[in-house]
Amino acid sequence: MTSMSMNMDYLALLPEIVLLTAAVLVLLGGSFLPRTRQVITRWLTLAALAASATAGLAALARAPETIFDGSYTIDASTTVVRMAAPLATLVVILIGRHEFTGSARESETYALLLLATLGTVIIGGTTDLLVLVAGYLLASIPLYALIGLSRSGPAAEATLKTYLIGALFGVLLMAGVTLLTGLAATSNYLNMSKSLGNAPVAALAGGAVALLIGLTFKAGAVPGHFWIPDASQASGVAVAAFLTTVPKIGALVALGRLVEIMPDTVDVPLLIAMLAVISMTVGNLAALAQNNVRRLLGWSTVSQVGYLLMPLAVITASDGAWLALLAYIGLYALTNLTLFAVVACFPHREELDDWAGMARTHPWLTGTLIVGALSLVGTPPTAVFIGKVAVFTVAWDGGMPWLVVVAAANTVLSLLYYLRLIRPAFRTPGFSPQHGSRGTPGVALTVSGTAVTLGFLVLAAGAVGAGIWLVFLA
Amino acid sequence: MLSIVIFLPLLVGAALAVMRGLPARAARLVWLATTLADLALLIVLTFTASTGAGGLRAEERVNWMPQLGSSYHLGVDGLSLPLLLLAGVIFVVCAIWSLRETDRPRPQAALFLFLQTTCLGLFAAQDLILFFLFFDLSIVGMYFVIAGWGHGNQRHSALVFFIYTFLGSLALLLGFIGLYLGATPHTFDMVELSRHGAFTGTPAAAGFVLAAIVIGLAVKTPTFPFHSWLPPAHTDAPTIGSVVLASLLLKMGTYGFVRIAMPMLPDAWRSWAWVIIAIGIVSVLYGALVALVQADIKRMIAFTSINHMGYVVLAVGAAGVLGRTTAEAQQLAIAGAATQMVSHGLITGALFLLAGVFYDRTGSYDLRQYGGLARPAPAFAGFFAIAAFASLGLPGFSGFIAEFQIFTGSIGTVPWTLIALPGILITAVLFLRAFQRVFTGETKQLSAGFADLHPRETTALAVLTVLSVLIGIVPGPLLAMIEPAAKVLVGSLTP
C-alpha cells in the first residue's frame, strides 16, 4: 500500500475538494450569518455545485487515470457521477426553495446536502474497498439528518428506520469488505481480481454477496429498499427528491465496478439479475396500491433501480453495458427530479385525489407531470425511453433475454400506476378544497419554472439530448 | 418535404394547445385548414417526389443516435404512400365532422393534430426506433381521446386500451431489439434490415423474434385472440376517435406485417406462414360471427373490423407460402392486402361516422330501438346503405377490389383458404339485417323525430364514400402505386 509510484495529484480531485470546502464554508458561515442573511449560504452552495460539476467535466480533457495508488479512478463513469450528482443536488436546492429558504436550519441543510453529494461522488469514483466504506458513511449519515429535518412524527420514524437499515447494511458492507480484503490481500480493485480467482469459493461468495447487498441500501434496490418509501413520504419534498435520486448515482457505478472485478467462480451476474427482477417487481407491485403521491414515487424508484441493475448483470458480457448504465442513470435522474419538482409546487397535495382539476388550473405543470410519468414508463420520445432501449439491448446482447422479457412485462405493470398519477389531474375537483385547490398561494415561479424547464428537458432528451449524451459518453 | 408533411400538424397542434384565449370557432377552422394544407402537400409530394437509390421516394436521412444504430430516416413507397394519403383524408374528414363541436374544441383539435403527426410519421418511418416512437405516441394520443372525449365507461375502456396495446408495443420493442442484435453491424435501419439475409441469427432465434413482432402487431391489428380491447374502446370512444382508431391505428398493425415482419424475417415468415394463415381465417370467421349477434351498432362495426383485418392477415400469410408458379398469386395477395387497408379505412370510417349520428341524435347505439328510420332521415339511410354495401364487398366499391385480390391470391397459393369465404356471406347477412331492422318498416321508438344529416355530415360522408366508389370503379392508379412495392416484397420472400 505504500508503494512509491503513488500519483498524488491533488488537483485531479478538484470537484471533490470544491464540494468539501463549500460544505465547511456553508456550515461555518451559517453559524455566523444573521438569520436574515442565511440566503447567502444558498448562493454559495449553488455556485459550489455548479463549479464542482464544471470541474468534473473539465477532467474529460485528460486521459483516464488512477490516482492515489489506484484508490481513485477518473474515467468516464466517474465523470458522469461527478457531473450528475452535483447537478441533481443543484436542482434539488432549486425546487426546495420554499422548503429550505428561511427555515430554521437552512445552512445546515445545505451543508448536509453537499456532504451527501460528496459521499456519492466518492462511492462512484473510488476503486478501493476501504475508501468505499468511508464514502458509504459520508453519503449515509447526512441522509439520516436530512430525513429528520421536517421534525414530524412520521419523519422521526422514517429517520429511525433509515438509520437502522443503514447501520445494518453498513455492517454487512464492512463484513464483505473485510472478507474480500483478507482473501485478496489487498483492498484495491485493480489488483484484486487476479488473486480472488484462486480464493475459496464459499468465502468469496460470502464476501461478494455481503458487499453487494450492503450497497443496495444506497442504490435503493431490494433488499436495501425498505427506507425509501417511508423516507420519501415523510421528509420534505426536496429532500425526498434528493434521496431518491442522488445516492443511487454513485452506488450503481460502484456496483458496476465491483461486479466487473468479481472472478467467474461466483455467479455474481445472476445474483444481480435476480436482484433486478425482484426490485422491479416488488417496486411495481407495491406502487400499485399507493395513494400518497410521494410514497408512490418512492416505490417507483425502487422499480426503476431494477431496470438500472440490468446492465450491471451483463457488465462483463456486453460491450455497451457501461454506456447503457450511465445513459440510464442520467436520464432517470432528470426524469425523477422533474416529477418531484412538480410535486414540490404543491407540497400539501399529499394524496392522488388532491390533484383533481390540475389540468384546468395549471396546464403547464400538468403537461410536465404527463411527460415525466410517461418518461418513467419508457414512452418515446422521452428521456427514459432511450435508457430503456439501451438497457434492454445490452441485457439481451449479454445473454439474458429472459431478463428483458421480465422487464418488459414489468413495464406494462408500471403503466398502471404511472397513469394513476396523471388521471386525477383531469378529474373535476370534488369537495376537498381543504388544501386550497387553486394552488398553494405564492408557489414561486422559480419552483414551477424549474419543473416546466425540466419537463422540456425530459422531452428534448429523448429526441435530441440522448444523441448528444451518447456521443459524450462514447 | 416529407418532414414538413409529418410535423406541420404537430406544430399547429402545439400552437393551438398553448393559445388558451383562442375562440372555439377559430380553433376549429385552423384545424380544418391545417389538415387540408397537409393533404395538399401530400398530394404534391405524391406527384413530384423523386425516387432515391433504395427505391424509396422523398427519402430523408439524418444522423440521430449513431451509437444505437438509429437514424432519423423517412421515405415512402407503394405500400406506405396509399396509407399516408388515407391518413390525410381521414383527418380532413374528422376536422369537417367537428365543425360544430362544442366540447373543448381547442384541445380536441390539438390532440387530433398530434395524432395526425403520429399516423403520418409511422407510415413514413424507415427506422425501427422512429417507427416505435410514433407507434407508442399514437397509443398515448388515443388514450387521451377516449378518456377525455368518450362516453359511457370511457375511463375504463381507455385504460384497457392503453395497457393492452402498450403490452403489444413492448412485445414489438423486444422484437425490434432482436432484429437489431441479429444484424451485423447492429442497426435499427429498416431499409438495411430488409436487405436479403440481414438477420443472421439461428432459425430458432428468428422464430422468437418473429413471434414477438407478430404478437405486437396482432394486438394492434387486432386479430383473434388479441382483440378484446377493441370493442370497448370503440364503443366508448367519441365518433371521430373511433374513425381514427379504425381507419388508421388498426392499419399500423397490418402495415407492420408487410413493412417489418415479412421483409426482415423472410425465412421465419415462410416457416410460420401457416400459423399466420390460420390466425387470419379464425379472425375472419370469428369476427363475422360475433358481429352477427351484436345489437350495439358500434360493437357490430368493431367486430366487422376484426373480420376485415382478418382478410389482410390471411393474405400476408398466404403470400409467405411458396410454390413453383405462385409469384403472381403472392403478389396479388399482397396488393389485395394493401388495397384492403385503404378500403377498410374509407368504408369503416364512414360506418363509424354514421354510428356517431345515432348517438348524436338519440344517445343510443342499440339497433333494436330503431325502426323505419328511412322515412325521417332519407339521406342518412342512403349513406348507411352505401357504406354497408361497400363493407360487405359489393362490386363497384373498393372493398370488392381488395377482397377479390386477396381471395384470388390466397387461394392461388393455398387452396384451403377457401374456408374463409363464408366470412363474406356472414357480413352480408349482418349488414342487410341491420339495415332492414333500422331503416325499413314503420317509424317507431327512437326513430321518431330523428333529424337527417347536416351539411357538414353529408360532406364528410360524401368524401369517404366517393373515394371508395372511385377506387372500386377505377382501381388502376392505386394498384399501379402498390404493385411495384408488392413485387419487391415478394422478391424478398423468395430465397
Side-chain angles (χ1 to χ4, degrees):
Chain A
M1 291 309 254
T2 50
S3 88
M4 289 297 107
S5 66
M6 276 181 149
N7 178 355
M8 302 289 275
D9 187 355
Y10 288 100
L11 202 62
L13 284 182
L14 188 62
E16 288 80 2
I17 292 169
V18 170
L19 289 178
L20 181 62
T21 317
V24 174
L25 282 180
V26 165
L27 199 57
L28 289 178
S31 18
F32 289 105
L33 281 170
R35 176 73 48 220
T36 50
R37 291 281 188 75
Q38 293 278 323
V39 76
I40 294 174
T41 58
R42 176 185 166 87
W43 293 114
L44 179 62
T45 311
L46 289 175
L49 289 165
S52 176
T54 315
L57 178 65
L60 209 60
R62 304 152 61 123
E65 60 178 339
T66 55
I67 52 174
F68 294 97
D69 196 24
S71 64
Y72 207 80
T73 300
I74 296 164
D75 55 6
S77 316
T78 307
T79 306
V80 169
V81 178
R82 278 171 159 188
M83 289 177 62
L87 288 180
T89 311
L90 191 135
V91 172
V92 165
I93 292 177
L94 285 181
I95 64 179
R97 202 192 134 143
H98 299 295
E99 203 176 316
F100 301 150
T101 314
S103 73
R105 285 165 297 278
E106 186 177 357
S107 60
E108 289 89 335
T109 309
Y110 298 141
L112 289 170
L113 284 171
L114 283 167
L115 287 173
T117 310
L118 176 62
T120 290
V121 172
I122 289 177
I123 290 181
T126 183
T127 42
D128 191 290
L129 287 177
L130 300 179
V131 183
L132 182 69
V133 173
Y136 180 92
L137 294 174
L138 185 55
S140 301
I141 294 168
L143 267 195
Y144 310 144
L146 281 169
I147 297 167
L149 270 181
S150 54
R151 286 204 148 178
S152 60
E157 187 191 326
T159 309
L160 190 64
K161 200 165 182 176
T162 312
Y163 173 71
L164 289 177
I165 295 173
L168 175 67
F169 280 79
V171 169
L172 211 56
L173 177 92
M174 285 180 230
V177 167
T178 315
L179 253 173
L180 290 182
T181 310
L183 288 172
T186 172
S187 62
N188 194 311
Y189 294 6
L190 306 174
N191 313 325
M192 196 175 253
S193 53
K194 218 179 294 160
S195 39
L196 279 184
N198 307 322
V201 174
L204 173 63
V209 170
L211 181 58
L212 298 176
I213 298 283
L215 272 176
T216 59
F217 169 74
K218 292 272 81 180
V222 174
H225 66 286
F226 289 104
W227 59 283
I228 296 245
D230 284 314
S232 159
Q233 179 181 3
S235 61
V237 182
V239 172
F242 180 83
L243 58 88
T244 53
T245 311
V246 178
K248 288 181 191 3
I249 300 174
L252 287 162
V253 170
L255 278 170
R257 294 190 196 278
L258 285 167
V259 175
E260 212 171 25
I261 57 154
M262 289 299 159
D264 42 14
T265 45
V266 189
D267 199 349
V268 173
L270 187 66
L271 171 71
I272 298 285
M274 295 318 295
L275 289 181
V277 168
I278 299 170
S279 282
M280 58 180 90
T281 314
V282 167
N284 281 333
L285 288 177
L288 283 180
Q290 302 307 325
N291 281 318
N292 181 294
V293 177
R294 275 185 273 159
R295 204 171 172 80
L296 187 151
L297 287 176
W299 279 113
S300 121
T301 68
V302 175
S303 78
Q304 292 289 331
V305 175
Y307 306 121
L308 277 160
L309 288 175
M310 288 169 66
L312 293 181
V314 293
I315 207 126
T316 47
S318 177
D319 290 336
W322 269 113
L323 185 70
L325 173 70
L326 297 176
Y328 201 128
I329 288 181
L331 298 168
Y332 160 77
L334 176 64
T335 307
N336 198 44
L337 288 173
T338 306
L339 282 177
F340 273 101
V342 176
V343 177
C345 296
F346 313 99
H348 300 297
R349 296 190 178 186
E350 299 264 346
E351 302 293 315
L352 284 173
D353 292 337
D354 299 341
W355 291 70
M358 202 178 81
R360 204 163 282 275
T361 52
H362 300 90
W364 286 95
L365 286 173
T366 309
T368 309
L369 182 72
I370 293 173
V371 167
L374 288 181
S375 178
L376 285 186
V377 175
T379 315
T382 50
V384 172
F385 166 68
I386 305 290
K388 258 191 179 152
V389 172
V391 163
F392 283 14
T393 308
V394 295
W396 187 327
D397 191 35
M400 293 197 179
W402 61 272
L403 185 57
V404 183
V405 173
V406 174
N410 258 295
T411 304
V412 177
L413 197 59
S414 72
L415 181 66
L416 283 166
Y417 63 85
Y418 287 125
L419 282 184
R420 287 183 64 213
L421 205 56
I422 301 175
R423 286 165 81 188
F426 293 93
R427 214 174 293 153
T428 32
F431 285 117
S432 55
Q434 75 265 35
H435 302 307
S437 57
R438 279 269 143 191
T440 318
V443 165
L445 216 56
T446 40
V447 182
S448 52
T450 311
V452 173
T453 313
L454 286 172
F456 271 111
L457 281 176
V458 170
L459 208 53
V464 188
I468 301 168
W469 182 236
L470 288 167
V471 171
F472 164 72
L473 291 175
Chain B
M1 177 81 172
L2 197 49
S3 289
I4 299 173
V5 171
I6 293 171
F7 290 103
L8 174 70
L10 181 68
L11 291 177
V12 178
L16 281 181
V18 295
M19 284 156 71
R20 300 185 80 181
L22 199 72
R25 192 182 154 71
R28 291 185 295 238
L29 287 177
V30 168
W31 179 19
L32 180 60
T34 312
T35 54
L36 281 171
D38 209 49
L39 181 61
L41 282 174
L42 204 51
I43 291 171
V44 171
L45 185 131
T46 308
F47 286 108
T48 60
S50 56
T51 310
L56 284 177
R57 304 178 66 197
E59 195 174 0
E60 289 174 24
R61 188 167 188 178
V62 182
N63 254 348
W64 185 23
M65 291 180 285
Q67 290 76 16
L68 270 177
S70 173
S71 61
Y72 174 80
H73 193 179
L74 299 172
V76 296
D77 66 358
L79 293 173
S80 50
L81 195 50
L83 289 171
L84 280 165
L85 289 165
L86 173 70
V89 170
I90 292 289
F91 280 103
V92 171
V93 166
C94 289
I96 295 175
W97 192 263
S98 304
L99 277 175
R100 291 275 177 277
E101 177 70 52
T102 49
D103 183 13
R104 292 161 289 157
R106 187 183 53 84
Q108 191 194 37
L111 196 51
F112 272 82
L113 287 167
F114 169 77
L115 264 177
Q116 184 169 7
T117 290
T118 66
C119 292
L120 294 170
L122 183 123
F123 294 131
Q126 294 295 339
D127 183 276
L128 288 178
I129 293 288
L130 208 54
F131 182 95
F132 186 78
L133 185 155
F134 290 121
F135 194 91
D136 250 19
L137 286 181
S138 74
I139 300 174
V140 175
M142 189 45 75
Y143 168 79
F144 283 109
V145 167
I146 299 176
W149 280 266
H151 38 64
N153 195 2
Q154 80 268 33
R155 281 182 205 284
H156 182 255
S157 300
L159 191 64
V160 170
F161 161 79
F162 199 150
I163 289 168
Y164 212 137
T165 49
F166 190 73
L167 180 71
S169 86
L170 278 167
L172 200 60
L173 182 63
L174 291 191
F176 287 178
I177 292 176
L179 286 174
Y180 167 80
L181 292 172
T184 14
H186 295 341
T187 179
F188 279 112
D189 193 78
M190 289 161 74
V191 177
E192 279 168 43
L193 285 170
S194 303
R195 267 206 321 253
H196 216 91
F199 188 81
T200 55
T202 59
F208 280 113
V209 173
L210 182 67
I213 292 177
V214 165
I215 289 174
L217 296 173
V219 169
K220 188 87 173 182
T221 302
T223 69
F224 180 86
F226 302 109
H227 62 276
S228 50
W229 60 269
L230 184 73
H234 266 312
T235 317
D236 296 339
T239 301
I240 54 173
S242 274
V243 171
V244 172
L245 181 60
S247 300
L248 300 171
L249 263 60
L250 303 194
K251 303 300 169 298
M252 294 180 179
T254 48
Y255 174 73
F257 281 112
V258 292
R259 172 61 68 214
I260 296 169
M262 295 173 82
M264 295 185 194
L265 296 161
D267 303 326
W269 184 267
R270 282 200 309 275
S271 318
W272 297 96
W274 58 274
V275 178
I276 309 286
I277 296 176
I279 292 176
I281 292 176
V282 173
S283 296
V284 166
L285 296 176
Y286 176 86
L289 284 171
V290 180
L292 188 63
V293 297
Q294 297 303 320
D296 180 312
I297 178 133
K298 264 194 154 180
R299 281 182 78 83
M300 185 186 90
I301 304 172
F303 277 106
T304 64
S305 283
I306 296 172
N307 159 279
H308 281 118
M309 290 297 98
Y311 295 125
V312 178
V313 175
L314 167 66
V316 294
V321 178
L322 288 187
R324 249 179 319 174
T325 55
T326 51
E328 210 160 312
Q330 286 175 291
Q331 216 169 299
L332 209 54
I334 290 171
T339 317
Q340 173 77 327
M341 292 185 216
V342 178
S343 159
H344 176 262
L346 295 171
I347 297 167
T348 308
L351 280 171
F352 274 119
L353 288 181
L354 290 162
V357 176
F358 280 110
Y359 189 83
D360 204 39
R361 305 288 194 274
T362 65
S364 167
Y365 289 126
D366 195 338
L367 290 171
R368 291 166 301 195
Q369 294 182 318
Y370 297 92
L373 198 51
R375 202 180 307 271
F380 180 55
F383 272 112
F384 193 93
I386 295 174
F389 283 127
S391 184
L392 60 84
L394 209 67
F397 294 103
S398 55
F400 172 74
I401 306 288
E403 280 160 30
F404 178 75
Q405 291 186 86
I406 287 175
F407 275 106
T408 316
S410 305
I411 296 171
T413 48
V414 190
W416 53 271
T417 51
L418 266 177
I419 55 175
L421 269 177
I424 296 192
L425 194 66
I426 301 170
T427 38
V429 171
L430 76 91
F431 272 118
L432 291 176
R433 251 185 22 170
F435 186 80
Q436 218 174 5
R437 183 183 277 167
V438 174
F439 292 97
T440 60
E442 56 178 298
T443 309
K444 58 181 179 183
Q445 295 185 25
L446 292 175
S447 298
F450 197 98
D452 207 357
L453 297 179
H454 305 310
R456 66 177 168 90
E457 292 167 339
T458 316
T459 317
L461 284 164
V463 170
L464 295 176
T465 43
V466 165
L467 279 172
S468 173
V469 172
L470 260 183
I471 294 174
I473 298 172
V474 201
L478 178 65
L479 294 182
M481 203 189 278
I482 295 171
E483 256 155 24
K487 203 170 193 168
V488 171
L489 187 54
V490 171
S492 75
L493 278 171
T494 319

